[in-house]
């Protein structure tokens, strides 16, 4: 039982590049979310989904897109990377309570 | 909107009890959680409490909820050096089940 799998674990991007952070869960959870973690600011919600085909914005959505074409996958796209997007990104899923988190992606934008 | 507040730092001696506090604003919160994050690691769900409960005990952990004051606390009995970590309070509820985090409390346990 893999839980929530995030790839890649580390990534360095140049300003203006685009990329997709992958997130997959094998628990048939309806709820999935993306967070970014910055020092002293806790985890801030970027986008979330309450089921396949349904997504919505969180606290800090600008510069990020998501889609949820299947229950299992919830990729996060950076459209044009900026240094302010340097952060650790976490994906999480839930069946209704008690979110399970992936191990995170450490992204550096230079 | 939803807001969750925590103090940033707590230092205790090994063997003492630790109490980490949290306040939240969303009165529709259904579940309140405590997560633990060790350095360089992901988030581990420690415990949670349903909003119609006042207290939950799980081994060394005691969660107290004052729903009137929107105040949540986590007590760790007999704190060990392995308990040193960042502790996050979080709440979820409503149709979206969004999980909103506090800023985290760094617990430092002195030997």
């Amino acid at each position: 039982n893999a839980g929530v799998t995030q790839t890649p674990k580390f990534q360095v991007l140049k300003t203006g590049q685009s990329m997709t952070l992958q997130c997959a869960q094998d628990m048939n959870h309806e709820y999935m979310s993306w967070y970014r973690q910055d020092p002293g600011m806790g985890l801030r919600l970027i986008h979330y989904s309450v089921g396949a085909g349904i997504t919505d914005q969180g606290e800090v959505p600008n510069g990020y897109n998501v889609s949820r074409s299947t229950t299992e996958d919830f990729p996060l796209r950076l459209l044009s990377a900026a240094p302010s997007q340097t952060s650790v990104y976490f994906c999480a899923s839930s069946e209704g309570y008690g979110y399970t988190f992936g191990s995170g992606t450490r992204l550096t934008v230079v | 909107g939803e807001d969750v507040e925590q103090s940033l730092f707590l230092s205790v001696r090994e063997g003492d009890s630790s109490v980490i506090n949290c306040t939240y604003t969303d009165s529709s919160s259904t579940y309140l959680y405590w997560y633990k994050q060790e350095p360089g690691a992901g988030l581990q769900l420690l415990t949670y409490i349903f909003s119609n409960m006042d207290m939950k005990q799980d081994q060394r952990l005691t969660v107290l909820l004052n729903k009137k004051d929107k105040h949540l606390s986590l007590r760790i009995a007999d704190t060990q050096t392995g308990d040193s970590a960042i502790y996050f309070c979080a709440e979820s509820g409503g149709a979206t089940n969004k999980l909103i985090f506090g800023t985290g409390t760094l617990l430092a346990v002195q030997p």
Side-chain angles (χ1 to χ4, degrees):
Chain A
N1 191 357
V4 178
T5 303
Q6 288 185 240
T7 56
K9 292 192 182 305
F10 300 94
Q11 183 71 49
V12 179
L13 287 179
K14 293 183 179 178
T15 297
Q17 286 185 314
S18 62
M19 80 160 294
T20 300
L21 279 62
Q22 301 292 344
C23 176
Q25 52 95 4
D26 61 359
M27 298 171 284
N28 202 33
H29 285 172
E30 289 298 317
Y31 301 96
M32 295 188 75
S33 302
W34 274 103
Y35 295 86
R36 59 177 290 173
Q37 184 177 22
D38 303 294
M41 302 189 75
L43 283 88
R44 293 181 291 169
L45 182 63
I46 304 172
H47 285 284
Y48 65 98
S49 170
V50 299
I54 306 169
T55 64
D56 207 346
Q57 297 180 348
E59 304 166 79
V60 288
N62 292 341
Y64 308 95
N65 274 358
V66 291
S67 60
R68 185 95 181 269
S69 56
T70 67
T71 298
E72 294 78 19
D73 298 300
F74 191 42
L76 178 72
R77 296 183 187 85
L78 278 71
L79 309 172
S80 176
S84 61
Q85 294 179 304
T86 293
S87 188
V88 180
Y89 291 84
F90 288 100
C91 178
S93 73
S94 170
E95 61 182 348
Y97 66 92
Y99 276 79
T100 301
F101 280 78
S103 56
T105 295
R106 186 172 294 274
L107 176 68
T108 302
V109 182
V110 297
Chain B
E2 310 97 341
D3 193 22
V4 182
E5 301 273 347
Q6 296 179 243
S7 55
L8 292 181
F9 183 73
L10 175 66
S11 178
V12 300
R13 299 184 67 88
E14 192 173 20
D16 288 348
S17 292
S18 309
V19 179
I20 304 172
N21 294 300
C22 168
T23 57
Y24 61 98
T25 59
D26 188 357
S27 57
S28 68
S29 297
T30 304
Y31 291 98
L32 295 124
Y33 307 88
W34 286 102
Y35 281 85
K36 176 183 180 182
Q37 185 180 38
E38 296 180 356
L43 283 93
Q44 172 195 355
L45 177 62
L46 278 181
T47 186
Y48 67 92
I49 188 167
F50 192 54
S51 61
N52 67 355
M53 298 169 64
D54 298 325
M55 186 183 84
K56 181 177 181 180
Q57 186 148 6
D58 184 0
Q59 298 182 333
R60 292 191 297 123
L61 305 178
T62 303
V63 178
L64 295 178
L65 174 61
N66 182 329
K67 194 170 182 181
K68 174 177 169 290
D69 294 338
K70 298 189 180 64
H71 183 265
L72 183 74
S73 67
L74 174 69
R75 178 178 182 268
I76 305 173
D78 187 24
T79 311
Q80 303 298 306
T81 55
D83 294 323
S84 294
I86 301 175
Y87 290 80
F88 291 96
C89 170
E91 59 91 12
S92 70
T96 66
N97 197 37
K98 287 189 298 182
L99 184 64
I100 303 299
F101 282 87
T103 51
T105 299
L106 175 61
L107 175 65
V109 182
Q110 310 300 324

